[in-house]
Amino acid sequence: CPSGSWNTTGIRVARVNLPEDVFVDNDGNIYVPDNSNSIQKWLPNATNSIIVAGGSFGSDMNQLKNPIGIFVRNNNLYIVDNGNFRVQKWAYGATSGVTVAGGNSKGSALNQLSNCYGIYVDEHENVYIADRDNNRVMKWMPGATEGIVVAGGNGEGRNSNQLTFPLGIYLDNDANIYIADYYNDRVQMWAQGATNGITVAGGNGGGSAPNQLSLPRAVSVDTRKNVYVLDTFNDRVQKWAPRASSGITIIGSDGRGSRPNQLQSPFGMRFDSNGNIYVADTYNWRIQKFSCGPSVV
């Protein structure tokens, strides 16, 4: 967002049954995992969605089971098919998917996943997945039969080399991995090849003070290394500048609720290419768009 500020009153751009994630592509299309075991797509300004993946409950390649994460790269859909412990890739217009991570039942081996959540796909179509119950982030290269642990994997805990229930993830332009470390109430940054993470937001116990987070679920980073955190239990989005000791609330400063300037247990957050923020406002059953504000002269 060139202005560095956002309208604090959102606009509902989609009504969804308990949305857990959201993605917006470069054409302004909105993608949301839905409780009907499908991925719903809204064209710009549309009032109704279309199903672009799944639509029935099951483990076949044309089915999904509790999809909770979505990423779009090169018009391909990458879906966290949580109930099947796999990530599915659906090519544009396809009627079935291909497994690109996991799919070998629930477990902790390198070819397995266990109750995943956050997903990021880089320009080379490497898939990064927050393997929640195994307290690790894994990288699956195209065609790989096993993943590589790139963060965590050292058991549950609060040490710098550990994660506890990692959820949302993001990669910046330097391939640093940012992780919403849910039960540690912090965001950790792991440099490429690092064996420890650095706390870049929160880490001061769960709470609502400016230097605290409470159960963060999603994270994003801009080109200036500002970190944006979906602070779920506090129903807000915070911005943490590099090396800052506290964050600034940019969305949700009016507390929990259903008004356009409020959120209620939001689970997902993404930016579009113009810097607008989209929030999966889960318990308000909607996707809210918070537009980038005018530049300050």
Side-chain angles (χ1 to χ4, degrees):
C1 181
S3 69
S5 64
W6 289 263
N7 293 319
T8 57
T9 298
I11 300 170
R12 191 184 78 185
V13 292
R15 182 163 179 80
V16 193
N17 182 14
L18 296 174
E20 295 200 39
D21 198 10
V22 60
F23 192 93
V24 185
D25 68 19
N26 291 334
D27 296 320
N29 300 307
I30 300 169
Y31 302 82
V32 182
D34 187 78
N35 273 1
S36 63
N37 297 293
S38 66
I39 302 299
Q40 303 282 338
K41 176 181 178 180
W42 278 261
L43 300 174
N45 303 314
T47 56
N48 294 296
S49 63
I50 57 175
I51 295 175
V52 291
S56 64
F57 179 87
S59 302
D60 292 338
M61 289 300 168
N62 65 339
Q63 296 178 307
L64 299 171
K65 186 186 293 185
N66 188 26
I68 60 173
I70 179 69
F71 200 98
V72 181
R73 176 71 73 180
N74 300 328
N75 290 322
N76 299 311
L77 308 181
Y78 291 83
I79 303 164
V80 181
D81 188 14
N82 191 49
N84 287 317
F85 311 108
R86 67 188 182 186
V87 176
Q88 292 289 91
K89 175 183 176 180
W90 287 58
Y92 179 79
T95 56
S96 63
V98 177
T99 301
V100 294
N104 297 298
S105 74
K106 181 180 181 179
S108 59
L110 292 178
N111 69 339
Q112 294 178 305
L113 299 171
S114 180
N115 287 329
C116 296
Y117 191 81
I119 184 171
Y120 191 95
V121 182
D122 69 17
E123 60 185 0
H124 304 294
E125 301 204 30
N126 297 305
V127 175
Y128 294 80
I129 184 79
D131 190 10
R132 187 188 69 187
D133 286 2
N134 288 319
N135 298 300
R136 65 189 183 186
V137 175
M138 300 191 76
K139 174 184 177 181
W140 292 67
M141 293 182 285
T145 57
E146 292 185 344
I148 302 166
V149 178
V150 292
N154 297 300
E156 177 182 316
R158 293 183 175 273
N159 294 328
S160 62
N161 68 337
Q162 294 178 304
L163 302 168
T164 302
F165 222 65
L167 294 182
I169 56 176
Y170 188 89
L171 263 69
D172 68 14
N173 292 335
D174 299 315
N176 299 310
I177 305 170
Y178 295 77
I179 305 163
D181 192 9
Y182 188 70
Y183 280 135
N184 285 327
D185 302 303
R186 66 187 182 185
V187 173
Q188 293 287 91
M189 187 275 283
W190 288 61
Q192 191 172 21
T195 56
N196 292 273
I198 299 169
T199 300
V200 294
N204 298 299
S208 59
N211 70 335
Q212 293 179 304
L213 300 172
S214 188
L215 307 180
R217 293 188 75 107
V219 60
S220 189
V221 183
D222 67 21
T223 56
R224 297 181 179 179
K225 307 296 186 185
N226 295 304
V227 177
Y228 300 85
V229 188
L230 185 65
D231 190 14
T232 294
F233 195 73
N234 287 319
D235 302 292
R236 66 188 182 185
V237 176
Q238 275 202 316
K239 175 182 177 180
W240 290 65
R243 296 175 296 280
S245 57
S246 62
I248 300 169
T249 299
I250 59 173
I251 294 170
S253 59
D254 293 300
R256 172 175 294 200
S258 59
R259 297 197 303 271
N261 63 339
Q262 294 178 307
L263 302 171
Q264 189 167 198
S265 296
F267 281 13
M269 176 189 70
R270 302 278 185 181
F271 283 73
D272 68 12
S273 58
N274 295 314
N276 303 307
I277 299 175
Y278 292 74
V279 177
D281 190 12
T282 306
Y283 283 92
N284 282 322
W285 291 40
R286 65 190 181 188
I287 303 298
Q288 288 288 90
K289 176 184 177 181
F290 296 87
S291 298
C292 184
S295 298
V296 178
V297 178

